[in-house]
Amino acid sequence: MLNAVIVGRVIQQFREKKKMSQELLSGLAGIGRTHLSAIERGERKPTLETFYRIGKAMEIRPSALLAAVEEAIEDEVQ
């Protein structure tokens, strides 16, 4: 099962490493800041389209972002 909290945490960590605000990232990704905030808090799961846009906006391959989510989920299980 895909844990929305973990997905949001990973996205937030990548965003913070890039020193990007939610406002900047949401603008570059073409989504609302409140939507991004809800994703980062684990209140909403991003669609594949949104996930792709977020990755591209941070100049990260969406597959690398997904790999980080998978790793975080595996770490949580262990």
Side-chain angles (χ1 to χ4, degrees):
M1 176 74 97
L2 188 60
N3 185 321
V5 172
I6 293 174
V7 173
R9 186 180 334 133
V10 168
I11 290 171
Q12 181 179 11
Q13 289 169 349
F14 273 82
R15 177 180 61 76
E16 289 174 350
K17 284 181 189 172
K18 293 279 190 173
K19 300 192 184 318
M20 298 175 83
S21 66
Q22 286 183 341
E23 189 72 32
L24 177 60
L25 176 56
S26 63
L28 292 172
I31 62 173
R33 192 204 56 77
T34 55
H35 185 187
L36 177 60
S37 178
I39 290 169
E40 288 188 357
R41 290 191 314 271
E43 294 175 0
R44 299 187 72 176
K45 289 182 183 176
T47 63
L48 183 57
E49 175 72 23
T50 300
F51 191 83
Y52 183 84
R53 287 177 177 209
I54 290 170
K56 290 304 239 180
M58 289 192 287
E59 298 181 345
I60 298 167
R61 292 178 58 123
S63 59
L65 191 56
L66 182 57
V69 169
E70 288 176 317
E71 187 176 319
I73 290 170
E74 288 171 6
D75 290 346
E76 190 83 10
V77 172
Q78 296 175 1

